[in-house]
């Protein structure tokens, strides 16, 4: 008997959307979705805030039956005429791929000076990282990224998929969405630990542009410690190596580092690039167990479930995610406080500086209250 | 030059028989040959494998996501590598998408397949949707042949298929006539080929030996290598390998085709 595959029934990230985000990271000018007008609508719109123009060939019932090549060609012509792009990506969707539309045929009509890359993808892959690969392979063939970078990405994506299977969106047949713990209560507790001089690790382990908000959690942590005169108890780990990743991802890492610097916040350990959140675990574990040791608590922002629990044993964990479906797995792993930054992602698109976080601001407010009441007591 | 060919034609006209006998003949001639059956019936290669059905790519995909070369590619008579695409149960799913997925899988599990001297795609009779031109679009086919007899309906289908080639910009390598003992069949097939701007590259006379060998699970090249019909396939295989002429076919108007068919009926 062949064992049936685990059936996962909650909605999960789409490969088509993953392709679009990857095209953005490569600084492609225009992406044309070859499919019906509503496909990937919400993300397509968001990406337009982030310097990727997204268009659709608007296939309809007739095109499903008769093929949609003509519409795709018209869309390409119009895109070239209106936006004068240097690079265009033609992106497959479920509809066009099922009926066997040939993107390369349409791409052949590109005029001189316009590069068209064809992304054969649909939303039916088991892992949305397949959507990333379906962009990076043709990008590598065209020399937009090196063969080494392609291999590096393959390795990272495979690990990212494993992380999701172990403790993430693909870990259970159904995950109940949750808004996480009450931020005020967790902030109270964290502020108390900071004030009482506990040794705390602040770990940014974020994915790409989400770092613009997740970094704010650590900024708030450090600022609070500074307020209490305890900043020497804080150690900051951050996956913001600006030498690693696709062009746009490096930019984000540099921007976040600049933001730490501008606030005079030391980053003690760089644990990888902003696309390496899935593979930072071993280094973090090694640093904590062998170099630092003795942390009482940790604030982990971004993808906390990618870090191995052996690295975090004995610490009180304050973990911040942007996935409502990540709360239950984190609790199960043993993270005591799990906070969700609802709708984080849309707020971090199209920005190049820190975006205030709700938990960070809550911590700041709680800390300010505590110093005020402290000052009152002294009087 | 490497030959990657696809044989199209009306359902039941003998595409699989022709494909497997040509494959066997080429293999006996010392060529490295691969036969890829794209029909959901998945019996293109059965006569190269002594009547054995092999697991299809889609069978394996259906049950377990990881397909290995050994699971779906089998050596048959003369070392011909055989693969069957397979398909969903009749009436469900999407056979066209199945062909696309199978060809993508082939490229992944056996990228060296392009190193063969001759690759034959045996394609289903009716090119009903985008998936059925996947061998051409995704499988690197560089030459297509159309198989017909002298009967009206197969000719009609062949003419229609040429229309499809025209639409996708694929050039025709030639026409093969698989005789059904129609009136003045060779002449008719010759004129048809000529009129569409191509040529008749092979004429296979009707021979009951083909059927009887098939029933036993063999090609004539294996079971009756000294027969006359085996010689015909050997010649056809040589001609296909040597052929370098490809044309943009000019399909006939329906009326013209009807007239042509009438002209040769006795």
């Amino acid at each position: 008997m062949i064992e049936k595959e685990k059936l996962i029934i909650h909605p999960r990230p789409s490969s088509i959307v993953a392709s679009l985000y990857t095209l953005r990271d490569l600084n492609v000018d225009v992406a044309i979705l070859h499919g019906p007008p509503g496909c990937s609508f919400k993300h397509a719109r968001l990406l337009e805030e982030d310097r990727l123009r997204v268009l659709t060939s608007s296939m309809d019932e007739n095109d499903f039956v008769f093929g949609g090549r003509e519409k795709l060609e018209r869309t390409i012509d119009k895109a070239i005429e209106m936006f004068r792009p240097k690079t265009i990506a033609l992106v497959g969707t479920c509809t066009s791929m099922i009926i066997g539309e040939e993107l390369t045929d349409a791409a052949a009509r590109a005029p001189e000076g316009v590069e068209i890359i064809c992304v054969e993808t649909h939303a039916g892959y088991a892992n949305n990282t397949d959507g990333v690969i379906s962009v990076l392979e043709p990008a590598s063939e065209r020399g937009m990224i090196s063969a080494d970078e392609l291999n590096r990405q393959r390795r990272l994506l495979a690990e990212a998929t494993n992380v999701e299977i172990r403790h993430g969106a693909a870990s259970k047949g159904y995950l109940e969405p949750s808004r996480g713990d009450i931020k005020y209560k967790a902030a109270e507790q964290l502020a108390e630990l900071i004030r009482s001089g506990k040794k705390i690790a602040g770990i940014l382990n974020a994915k790409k542009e989400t770092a613009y908000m997740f970094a704010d959690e650590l900024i708030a942590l450090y600022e609070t410690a500074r307020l209490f005169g305890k900043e020497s108890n804080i150690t900051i780990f951050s996956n913001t190596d600006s030498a690693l990743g696709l062009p746009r991802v490096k930019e984000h890492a540099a921007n976040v580092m600049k933001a730490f610097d501008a606030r005079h916040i030391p980053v003690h350990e760089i644990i990888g690039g902003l696309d390496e959140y899935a593979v930072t675990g071993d280094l973090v574990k090694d640093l904590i167990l062998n170099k630092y040791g003795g942390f009482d608590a940790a604030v982990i922002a971004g993808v906390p479930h990618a870090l191995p629990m052996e690295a975090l044993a004995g610490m009180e964990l304050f973990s911040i995610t942007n996935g409502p479906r990540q709360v239950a797995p984190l609790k199960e792993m043993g993270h005591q406080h799990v906070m969700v930054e609802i709708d984080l992602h849309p707020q971090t698109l199209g920005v190049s500086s820190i975006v205030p976080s709700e938990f960070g601001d809550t911590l700041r407010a709680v800390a300010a209250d505590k110093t005020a009441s402290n000052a009152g007591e002294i009087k | 030059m490497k030959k990657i060919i696809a044989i199209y034609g009306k359902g039941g006209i003998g595409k699989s028989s022709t494909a497997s006998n040509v494959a066997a003949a080429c293999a006996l001639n010392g060529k490295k040959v691969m036969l890829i059956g794209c029909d959901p019936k998945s019996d293109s290669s059965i006569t190269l494998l002594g009547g054995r059905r092999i697991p299809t790519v889609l069978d394996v995909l259906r049950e377990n996501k990881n397909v290995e070369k050994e699971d779906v590619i089998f050596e048959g008579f003369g070392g011909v590598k055989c693969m069957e695409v397979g398909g969903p149960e009749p009436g469900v799913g999407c056979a066209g998408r199945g062909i696309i997925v199978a060809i993508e899988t082939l490229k992944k599990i056996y990228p060296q397949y392009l190193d063969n001297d001759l690759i034959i795609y045996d394609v289903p009779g009716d090119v009903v949707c985008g998936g059925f031109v996947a061998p051409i679009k995704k499988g690197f086919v560089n030459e297509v042949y159309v198989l017909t007899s002298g009967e009206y309906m197969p000719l009609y289908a062949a003419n229609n298929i040429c229309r499809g080639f025209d639409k996708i910009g694929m050039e025709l390598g030639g026409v093969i006539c698989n005789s059904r003992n129609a009136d003045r069949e060779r002449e008719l097939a010759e004129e048809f080929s000529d009129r569409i701007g191509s040529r008749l590259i092979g004429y296979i006379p009707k021979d009951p030996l083909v059927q009887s060998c098939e029933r036993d699970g063999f090609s004539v090249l294996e079971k009756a290598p000294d027969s006359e019909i085996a010689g015909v396939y050997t010649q056809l295989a040589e001609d296909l390998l040597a052929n370098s002429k490809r044309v943009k076919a000019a399909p006939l108007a329906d009326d013209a085709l009807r007239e042509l068919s009438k002209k040769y009926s006795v």
Side-chain angles (χ1 to χ4, degrees), chain A residues 21-22 24-27 50-51 143-146 148-150 152-153 156 204 206-212 238-260 270 272-276 351-353:
Chain A
Y21 278 104
T22 310
R24 174 209 56 182
D25 292 339
L26 290 167
N27 290 326
D50 209 8
R51 290 187 275 159
M144 294 167 79
I145 60 166
S146 67
D148 285 350
E149 181 62 23
L150 175 63
R152 176 179 170 272
Q153 292 286 342
L156 295 178
L204 179 68
K207 181 178 178 183
K208 305 202 283 187
E209 65 273 11
T210 65
Y212 287 122
S238 177
N239 70 324
T240 41
D241 187 334
S242 59
L244 296 172
L246 300 182
R248 197 70 78 84
V249 173
K250 291 179 185 171
E251 228 177 274
H252 297 323
N255 288 338
V256 171
M257 286 304 285
K258 242 182 275 167
F260 282 130
I270 295 283
L274 273 177
D275 52 7
E276 294 193 320
V351 304
S352 53
S353 56

Side-chain angles (χ1 to χ4, degrees), chain A residues 243-322:
Chain A
L244 296 172
L246 300 182
R248 197 70 78 84
V249 173
K250 291 179 185 171
E251 228 177 274
H252 297 323
N255 288 338
V256 171
M257 286 304 285
K258 242 182 275 167
F260 282 130
D261 198 48
R263 291 163 177 79
H264 306 293
I265 296 175
V267 174
H268 301 86
E269 298 290 346
I270 295 283
I271 54 173
L274 273 177
D275 52 7
E276 294 193 320
Y277 61 93
V279 297
T280 52
D282 285 344
L283 178 59
V284 170
K285 184 173 145 189
D286 184 52
L287 288 169
I288 289 179
L289 298 186
N290 301 323
K291 183 169 171 184
Y292 294 94
F295 288 116
D296 302 298
V299 176
I300 312 170
V303 189
H305 60 285
L307 298 180
M309 288 308 284
E310 307 99 87
L312 309 169
M315 302 183 201
E316 185 166 349
L317 302 178
F318 297 78
S319 297
I320 305 114
T321 170
N322 63 329

Side-chain angles (χ1 to χ4, degrees), chain A residues 42-331:
Chain A
K42 202 169 170 188
H43 285 278
R45 264 297 299 124
L46 281 174
L47 279 159
E48 288 189 305
E49 308 291 325
D50 209 8
R51 290 187 275 159
L52 175 70
R53 197 173 287 278
V54 186
L55 308 174
T56 171
S57 64
S58 294
M59 289 177 75
D60 60 17
E61 190 85 272
N62 265 0
D63 302 311
F64 300 166
V65 177
F66 302 109
R69 175 167 171 180
E70 195 244 330
K71 266 194 188 159
L72 177 59
E73 290 178 347
R74 275 167 53 200
T75 312
I76 296 171
D77 291 349
K78 211 162 176 180
I80 291 172
E81 184 193 314
M82 290 179 73
F83 307 117
R84 307 269 157 218
K86 284 202 279 292
T87 45
I88 298 178
L90 308 182
V91 183
T93 62
C94 301
T95 326
S96 55
M97 292 298 101
I98 290 172
I99 70 167
E101 292 277 280
E102 200 56 44
L103 300 176
T104 48
D105 282 356
R109 66 194 277 106
E112 192 121 348
V114 180
E115 180 128 32
I116 298 193
I117 73 169
C118 298
V119 182
E120 300 219 338
T121 190
H122 55 67
Y125 295 108
N127 306 306
N128 72 322
T129 47
D130 285 341
V132 180
I133 296 285
S134 61
V135 171
L136 295 178
E137 279 178 349
S140 157
E141 276 164 29
R142 279 160 183 273
M144 294 167 79
I145 60 166
S146 67
D148 285 350
E149 181 62 23
L150 175 63
N151 286 333
R152 176 179 170 272
Q153 292 286 342
R154 274 189 210 281
R155 185 174 56 85
L156 295 178
L157 293 165
E159 261 323 298
T161 298
N162 286 339
V163 164
E164 291 316 305
I165 292 170
R166 275 199 300 268
H167 298 297
S171 61
K172 283 221 162 54
Y174 182 74
L175 286 166
E176 191 70 31
S178 156
R179 298 201 151 217
D181 292 328
I182 302 292
K183 294 187 178 72
Y184 178 76
K185 289 198 167 176
E188 278 270 343
Q189 169 69 5
L190 178 58
E192 209 36 62
L193 295 179
I194 300 169
R195 189 165 69 165
S196 63
K198 298 287 187 206
K199 233 181 124 187
I200 300 174
I203 306 172
L204 179 68
N205 193 44
K207 181 178 178 183
K208 305 202 283 187
E209 65 273 11
T210 65
Y212 287 122
M213 188 185 285
F214 283 128
D216 185 59
E217 322 282 0
L218 301 200
I219 292 171
L221 167 70
Y222 199 85
E223 286 172 350
T224 300
R226 192 147 54 195
L227 195 63
F228 296 141
K230 306 283 188 194
E231 64 266 39
S232 62
N233 290 332
I234 307 294
T235 307
I236 303 284
F237 302 73
S238 177
N239 70 324
T240 41
D241 187 334
S242 59
L244 296 172
L246 300 182
R248 197 70 78 84
V249 173
K250 291 179 185 171
E251 228 177 274
H252 297 323
N255 288 338
V256 171
M257 286 304 285
K258 242 182 275 167
F260 282 130
D261 198 48
R263 291 163 177 79
H264 306 293
I265 296 175
V267 174
H268 301 86
E269 298 290 346
I270 295 283
I271 54 173
L274 273 177
D275 52 7
E276 294 193 320
Y277 61 93
V279 297
T280 52
D282 285 344
L283 178 59
V284 170
K285 184 173 145 189
D286 184 52
L287 288 169
I288 289 179
L289 298 186
N290 301 323
K291 183 169 171 184
Y292 294 94
F295 288 116
D296 302 298
V299 176
I300 312 170
V303 189
H305 60 285
L307 298 180
M309 288 308 284
E310 307 99 87
L312 309 169
M315 302 183 201
E316 185 166 349
L317 302 178
F318 297 78
S319 297
I320 305 114
T321 170
N322 63 329
R325 291 206 145 90
Q326 201 50 59
V327 175
L330 281 168
K331 287 279 181 186

Side-chain angles (χ1 to χ4, degrees), chain A residues 12-19 21 39-40 43 122-124 127-129 131:
Chain A
R12 305 190 290 300
S14 150
S15 307
I16 301 170
V17 170
S19 294
Y21 278 104
C39 179
S40 308
H43 285 278
H122 55 67
N127 306 306
N128 72 322
T129 47

